[in-house]
Amino acid sequence: MCGIRAQLLALGSAALFVVGCGGEDGATAEKGSAQVFVEAEDTIPNGLAAGMGDEDIQDGWSVTYDRFLVAIGNIRASRSDATEALSAPDVYVLDLKKVPAGGYVVATFEDVSATRWDRFGFDLPNAKPGAKGLGNTSEADVSLLVDNGWSLYIAGTLDNGTTQKTFRWGLAAGTSYDDCATEDEIPGFAVPAGGSVPVKPTIHGDHWFFNNITAGTEVTARYAQYIADADANDDGETTLDELKATQAAAVFPPDKYSLAGVAIETAYDYVLAQARTLGDYQGDGECPTRKVLP
């Protein structure tokens, strides 16, 4: 039996742990590093256009975001052929409208086995005290999520050329994401000997416009009319209370939406379900194992 070793690494204020069992678990003697940084899909800084293209909203609405905040943390990786594990348990609140060109670095793992770490995961948790801001994220934004226990806050505007509708939604949609793989279904990441590999959890900004609850490859059309229709008092803003009062059958016609087998009773249920799918990997890769977090 080999002994368990633990190494504490420091990245700013983040505590990163490498836990492993050497020798018999097949770990190589060669070492490298992995840097984990969070990216925003282009739909977040650039919005979505109205049109009939694959990435467009197809019912005449365009969308721009004014705010897009997420909580992310508990970065983890392991190997199915060994007992080694990597862990960065800190949680951050990130302003994805102001994401730096290189993304937000949330973890760096140094001196780890140069091999494939085929199990990678992260959380988009409901923010709690102790969550930190990074880079361009203000303390007020951190407090907004922490004080309300939200995992996500978005604000934006829909425009169809004649009408505008705004929305400001804070959601406690905490979700864990595991078994992340690239768009080509390659699991995890490979650490090069003597080098570093970039690892990119990617947050998407268009899922509440999908016409299905995605669980894999995003083959979907995008619509936004339901948000406008849910503005019951027609004051120009669609609130979460209005979404909760809007029956799904009234705004998700079956000739446009495929919601069979999904427990969606209201427009709010739909938005919440989609908010639990925002975490992707290396751009358009998927993290298919998802669990609701308290």
Side-chain angles (χ1 to χ4, degrees):
M1 297 290 293
C2 60
I4 294 179
R5 60 180 175 83
Q7 183 177 8
L8 175 62
L9 308 175
L11 172 67
S13 60
L16 311 183
F17 296 89
V18 181
V19 180
C21 180
E24 295 176 7
D25 68 359
T28 69
E30 295 179 308
K31 302 291 183 178
S33 65
Q35 186 175 70
V36 183
F37 60 94
V38 179
E39 283 191 325
E41 183 192 43
D42 288 345
T43 56
I44 295 174
N46 299 336
L48 293 93
M52 299 306 293
D54 289 344
E55 304 293 326
D56 295 338
I57 296 180
Q58 297 183 7
D59 54 8
W61 295 95
S62 61
V63 178
T64 56
Y65 290 109
D66 301 311
R67 309 281 301 283
F68 204 114
L69 308 176
V70 297
I72 186 168
N74 191 23
I75 310 298
R76 53 196 176 269
S78 61
R79 296 167 48 199
S80 58
D81 65 345
T83 58
E84 284 184 298
L86 310 176
S87 176
D90 285 345
V91 173
Y92 299 95
V93 173
L94 306 180
D95 183 345
L96 295 185
K97 278 288 290 182
K98 300 178 181 177
V99 63
Y104 286 108
V105 177
V106 293
T108 298
F109 299 107
E110 303 281 2
D111 194 32
V112 300
S113 296
T115 186
R116 175 159 294 280
W117 296 78
D118 61 340
R119 294 175 176 170
F120 177 78
F122 60 93
D123 294 347
L124 298 182
N126 300 320
K128 295 178 174 60
K132 311 167 189 178
L134 278 181
N136 299 321
T137 308
S138 71
E139 287 302 314
D141 288 339
V142 176
S143 296
L144 179 66
L145 263 61
V146 170
D147 292 348
N148 290 283
W150 291 336
S151 63
L152 172 74
Y153 177 80
I154 61 172
T157 302
L158 277 65
D159 191 325
N160 68 359
T162 60
T163 302
Q164 289 189 341
K165 298 288 184 179
T166 62
F167 54 91
R168 292 176 292 173
W169 301 339
L171 298 168
T175 306
S176 65
Y177 297 81
D178 283 290
D179 298 318
C180 299
T182 67
E183 192 174 7
D184 296 328
E185 300 184 353
I186 300 172
F189 57 89
V191 174
S196 181
V197 60
V199 181
K200 300 181 290 184
T202 308
I203 310 304
H204 285 212
D206 59 351
H207 288 200
W208 25 74
F209 304 113
F210 286 2
N211 69 342
N212 61 78
I213 307 298
T214 178
T217 303
E218 296 172 6
V219 179
T220 181
R222 293 162 175 78
Y223 303 111
Q225 185 63 44
Y226 81 94
I227 298 175
D229 291 344
D231 181 16
N233 63 5
D234 200 29
D235 68 348
E237 179 180 0
T238 300
T239 66
L240 288 179
D241 285 340
E242 288 175 319
L243 292 177
K244 291 175 182 178
T246 301
Q247 292 300 300
V251 291
F252 301 127
D255 62 328
K256 286 188 175 182
Y257 286 83
S258 178
L259 302 180
V262 183
I264 303 294
E265 296 183 1
T266 68
Y268 174 81
D269 293 337
Y270 169 84
V271 169
L272 184 63
Q274 295 289 28
R276 298 191 189 282
T277 72
L278 298 184
D280 277 18
Y281 181 62
Q282 306 287 51
D284 289 323
E286 295 289 333
C287 303
T289 303
R290 304 170 185 159
K291 294 181 181 178
V292 174
L293 296 174

